[in-house]
Amino acid sequence: MHTERVTIEGTTFLTTLHLGGPIGLLALHGAVEGGTAELATAVATRTGATLLTFTQPTGPPTHIPSTRMSPCTPLTTFLTHATLTISLHGHNRRTTPRTIYAGGSNRPAARLVAAALSHWAPAFVPITTLSEIPHPLRGLHPDNPVNQARYGGVQLELPVQARTTHPVPTDPEVPPQSVVDGLVAGVRKLMEREGARW
Protein backbone atom coordinates (compact mmCIF):
# COMPACT_ATOMS: atom_id res chain seq x y z
CA MET A 1 0.00 0.00 0.00
CA HIS A 2 1.29 3.44 -0.92
CA THR A 3 -0.22 6.55 0.63
CA GLU A 4 0.18 10.06 -0.71
CA ARG A 5 -1.38 13.43 0.01
CA VAL A 6 -2.70 15.31 -3.01
CA THR A 7 -4.48 18.64 -3.35
CA ILE A 8 -7.40 19.07 -5.76
CA GLU A 9 -9.24 22.38 -6.04
CA GLY A 10 -7.80 23.47 -2.71
CA THR A 11 -8.86 20.32 -0.83
CA THR A 12 -6.24 17.94 0.57
CA PHE A 13 -6.91 14.23 0.13
CA LEU A 14 -5.09 11.18 1.41
CA THR A 15 -4.83 8.62 -1.37
CA THR A 16 -4.16 4.93 -0.76
CA LEU A 17 -2.94 2.99 -3.80
CA HIS A 18 -2.20 -0.70 -4.21
CA LEU A 19 -1.30 -2.11 -7.62
CA GLY A 20 -2.71 -5.59 -8.08
CA GLY A 21 -4.73 -7.33 -10.76
CA PRO A 22 -6.25 -5.87 -13.95
CA ILE A 23 -9.57 -4.91 -12.35
CA GLY A 24 -9.40 -1.68 -10.36
CA LEU A 25 -11.53 -0.71 -7.33
CA LEU A 26 -11.86 3.07 -7.04
CA ALA A 27 -13.42 5.20 -4.27
CA LEU A 28 -13.11 8.86 -5.20
CA HIS A 29 -15.35 10.16 -2.41
CA GLY A 30 -14.43 8.04 0.60
CA ALA A 31 -14.79 10.98 2.97
CA VAL A 32 -18.32 12.02 1.98
CA GLU A 33 -19.84 8.79 0.68
CA GLY A 34 -19.37 6.71 3.80
CA GLY A 35 -18.36 3.09 3.41
CA THR A 36 -17.16 3.30 -0.19
CA ALA A 37 -13.46 3.34 0.69
CA GLU A 38 -13.88 0.48 3.17
CA LEU A 39 -15.93 -1.52 0.67
CA ALA A 40 -13.37 -1.03 -2.09
CA THR A 41 -10.58 -2.06 0.28
CA ALA A 42 -12.40 -5.19 1.45
CA VAL A 43 -13.10 -6.34 -2.11
CA ALA A 44 -9.57 -5.62 -3.33
CA THR A 45 -8.08 -7.49 -0.38
CA ARG A 46 -10.05 -10.64 -1.19
CA THR A 47 -9.58 -10.53 -4.97
CA GLY A 48 -6.11 -9.10 -5.44
CA ALA A 49 -7.56 -6.25 -7.49
CA THR A 50 -5.88 -2.89 -7.88
CA LEU A 51 -7.13 -0.32 -5.35
CA LEU A 52 -7.25 3.46 -5.08
CA THR A 53 -9.17 5.34 -2.39
CA PHE A 54 -9.46 9.06 -1.61
CA THR A 55 -10.19 10.13 1.97
CA GLN A 56 -9.91 13.40 3.90
CA PRO A 57 -8.21 12.92 7.27
CA THR A 58 -8.55 16.63 8.12
CA GLY A 59 -10.86 19.50 7.30
CA PRO A 60 -14.56 19.49 6.42
CA PRO A 61 -15.60 16.71 4.03
CA THR A 62 -15.68 18.09 0.49
CA HIS A 63 -17.37 16.55 -2.54
CA ILE A 64 -15.63 17.29 -5.83
CA PRO A 65 -17.51 15.84 -8.83
CA SER A 66 -15.78 12.88 -10.43
CA THR A 67 -15.28 14.75 -13.69
CA ARG A 68 -13.21 17.37 -11.85
CA MET A 69 -10.91 14.99 -10.00
CA SER A 70 -7.66 16.14 -11.61
CA PRO A 71 -5.20 13.60 -13.00
CA CYS A 72 -3.01 13.46 -9.89
CA THR A 73 -0.15 10.98 -9.86
CA PRO A 74 -1.98 8.20 -7.91
CA LEU A 75 -5.03 8.39 -10.20
CA THR A 76 -2.87 8.41 -13.34
CA THR A 77 -0.94 5.39 -12.07
CA PHE A 78 -4.18 3.59 -11.23
CA LEU A 79 -5.73 4.22 -14.66
CA THR A 80 -2.54 3.17 -16.44
CA HIS A 81 -2.33 -0.09 -14.49
CA ALA A 82 -5.98 -1.20 -14.32
CA THR A 83 -7.72 -2.25 -17.51
CA LEU A 84 -11.28 -1.91 -16.15
CA THR A 85 -12.50 0.16 -13.22
CA ILE A 86 -15.29 -0.40 -10.71
CA SER A 87 -15.93 2.98 -9.13
CA LEU A 88 -17.91 2.96 -5.89
CA HIS A 89 -20.15 5.90 -4.99
CA GLY A 90 -23.03 6.57 -2.65
CA HIS A 91 -26.51 7.89 -3.27
CA ASN A 92 -29.05 9.05 -0.69
CA ARG A 93 -32.27 8.89 -2.71
CA ARG A 94 -35.04 8.34 -0.19
CA THR A 95 -37.39 6.82 -2.77
CA THR A 96 -34.90 4.07 -3.67
CA PRO A 97 -33.16 3.06 -0.41
CA ARG A 98 -32.51 -0.49 -1.66
CA THR A 99 -31.51 0.29 -5.24
CA ILE A 100 -27.97 -0.04 -6.58
CA TYR A 101 -27.48 1.82 -9.87
CA ALA A 102 -24.90 0.26 -12.19
CA GLY A 103 -23.72 2.90 -14.64
CA GLY A 104 -20.44 3.49 -16.45
CA SER A 105 -19.38 3.00 -20.05
CA ASN A 106 -18.80 -0.77 -19.96
CA ARG A 107 -22.37 -2.06 -20.08
CA PRO A 108 -21.59 -5.81 -20.31
CA ALA A 109 -19.37 -5.51 -17.23
CA ALA A 110 -22.10 -3.55 -15.43
CA ARG A 111 -24.60 -6.33 -16.09
CA LEU A 112 -22.14 -8.99 -14.90
CA VAL A 113 -21.47 -7.16 -11.62
CA ALA A 114 -25.18 -6.50 -11.13
CA ALA A 115 -25.96 -10.20 -11.59
CA ALA A 116 -23.42 -11.12 -8.91
CA LEU A 117 -24.92 -8.57 -6.52
CA SER A 118 -28.43 -9.89 -7.21
CA HIS A 119 -27.29 -13.38 -6.24
CA TRP A 120 -25.19 -12.57 -3.16
CA ALA A 121 -27.05 -9.50 -1.87
CA PRO A 122 -30.74 -10.16 -2.66
CA ALA A 123 -31.87 -7.42 -0.25
CA PHE A 124 -30.80 -4.88 -2.88
CA VAL A 125 -32.03 -4.26 -6.42
CA PRO A 126 -29.36 -3.54 -9.04
CA ILE A 127 -30.52 -1.45 -12.01
CA THR A 128 -28.53 -1.62 -15.26
CA THR A 129 -30.96 -0.11 -17.79
CA LEU A 130 -29.58 3.37 -18.40
CA SER A 131 -33.00 4.94 -18.97
CA GLU A 132 -33.97 3.82 -15.44
CA ILE A 133 -30.86 5.33 -13.83
CA PRO A 134 -31.12 9.02 -12.82
CA HIS A 135 -29.02 11.05 -15.22
CA PRO A 136 -26.55 12.35 -12.58
CA LEU A 137 -25.82 8.77 -11.49
CA ARG A 138 -25.13 7.21 -14.90
CA GLY A 139 -21.38 7.86 -14.89
CA LEU A 140 -21.04 8.13 -18.65
CA HIS A 141 -19.07 11.37 -19.05
CA PRO A 142 -15.72 10.76 -20.78
CA ASP A 143 -13.95 12.90 -18.16
CA ASN A 144 -15.17 10.62 -15.38
CA PRO A 145 -12.20 8.46 -14.28
CA VAL A 146 -14.43 5.35 -14.32
CA ASN A 147 -14.39 5.52 -18.12
CA GLN A 148 -10.70 6.19 -18.62
CA ALA A 149 -9.16 2.74 -18.20
CA ARG A 150 -8.58 0.68 -21.34
CA TYR A 151 -11.96 -1.07 -21.17
CA GLY A 152 -13.86 1.70 -19.38
CA GLY A 153 -15.68 0.70 -16.26
CA VAL A 154 -18.70 0.32 -14.01
CA GLN A 155 -19.96 3.09 -11.72
CA LEU A 156 -21.89 1.67 -8.79
CA GLU A 157 -24.13 4.10 -6.92
CA LEU A 158 -24.90 2.44 -3.60
CA PRO A 159 -27.56 3.41 -1.04
CA VAL A 160 -26.46 3.89 2.56
CA GLN A 161 -27.55 0.40 3.63
CA ALA A 162 -25.37 -1.17 0.91
CA ARG A 163 -22.31 0.76 2.09
CA THR A 164 -22.39 0.49 5.88
CA THR A 165 -24.01 -1.57 8.60
CA HIS A 166 -24.20 1.42 10.97
CA PRO A 167 -27.15 3.85 11.09
CA VAL A 168 -24.80 6.73 11.98
CA PRO A 169 -21.32 7.50 10.60
CA THR A 170 -18.45 5.55 12.14
CA ASP A 171 -14.72 5.40 11.48
CA PRO A 172 -14.05 3.07 9.87
CA GLU A 173 -17.37 2.13 8.31
CA VAL A 174 -18.25 -1.58 8.13
CA PRO A 175 -19.80 -2.59 4.79
CA PRO A 176 -22.50 -5.32 4.71
CA GLN A 177 -20.94 -8.73 4.20
CA SER A 178 -23.47 -9.67 1.51
CA VAL A 179 -22.45 -6.68 -0.63
CA VAL A 180 -18.76 -7.45 -0.13
CA ASP A 181 -19.41 -11.06 -1.21
CA GLY A 182 -21.39 -9.93 -4.25
CA LEU A 183 -18.70 -7.56 -5.44
CA VAL A 184 -15.99 -10.14 -4.81
CA ALA A 185 -17.90 -12.59 -7.00
CA GLY A 186 -18.37 -9.95 -9.69
CA VAL A 187 -14.70 -8.94 -9.71
CA ARG A 188 -13.59 -12.56 -9.92
CA LYS A 189 -15.89 -13.10 -12.92
CA LEU A 190 -14.43 -10.03 -14.61
CA MET A 191 -10.92 -11.28 -13.93
CA GLU A 192 -11.78 -14.59 -15.57
CA ARG A 193 -12.81 -12.70 -18.69
CA GLU A 194 -10.00 -10.11 -18.64
CA GLY A 195 -8.99 -9.27 -22.21
CA ALA A 196 -12.19 -10.74 -23.62
CA ARG A 197 -15.29 -8.86 -24.71
CA TRP A 198 -17.39 -8.28 -21.60
Side-chain angles (χ1 to χ4, degrees):
M1 292 279 187
H2 172 74
T3 60
E4 180 178 336
R5 290 181 184 270
V6 301
T7 301
I8 301 173
E9 297 188 3
T11 298
T12 299
F13 295 91
L14 179 66
T15 64
T16 300
L17 174 67
H18 172 74
L19 298 181
I23 307 302
L25 274 297
L26 178 63
L28 291 169
H29 302 132
V32 291
E33 296 173 354
T36 54
E38 292 87 349
L39 181 56
T41 300
V43 174
T45 298
R46 285 179 52 185
T47 61
T50 290
L51 171 72
L52 176 61
T53 64
F54 287 73
T55 57
Q56 292 172 245
T58 60
T62 302
H63 183 280
I64 297 175
S66 300
T67 54
R68 301 205 324 251
M69 295 294 282
S70 63
C72 59
T73 298
L75 183 55
T76 299
T77 301
F78 173 90
L79 292 171
T80 301
H81 184 82
T83 60
L84 186 146
T85 299
I86 298 177
S87 188
L88 304 183
H89 296 263
H91 77 80
N92 293 300
R93 299 195 171 231
R94 295 181 180 180
T95 58
T96 55
R98 291 282 178 175
T99 300
I100 297 173
Y101 296 107
S105 62
N106 194 316
R107 305 314 301 149
R111 288 188 287 272
L112 189 152
V113 172
L117 285 167
S118 292
H119 177 77
W120 289 95
F124 300 98
V125 181
I127 301 293
T128 59
T129 302
L130 288 175
S131 62
E132 297 177 8
I133 300 175
H135 191 271
L137 306 184
R138 292 177 184 174
L140 296 176
H141 197 286
D143 291 341
N144 189 328
V146 72
N147 300 317
Q148 294 178 340
R150 184 187 310 170
Y151 299 122
V154 180
Q155 179 162 305
L156 291 180
E157 294 279 355
L158 300 139
V160 173
Q161 294 178 71
R163 294 182 268 130
T164 178
T165 55
H166 296 285
V168 295
T170 61
D171 186 21
E173 300 283 2
V174 179
Q177 191 60 49
S178 63
V179 176
V180 175
D181 291 342
L183 285 177
V184 166
V187 168
R188 285 175 175 164
K189 282 288 186 182
L190 289 172
M191 286 180 169
E192 290 173 5
R193 300 188 184 190
E194 199 277 329
R197 185 182 297 276
W198 283 291

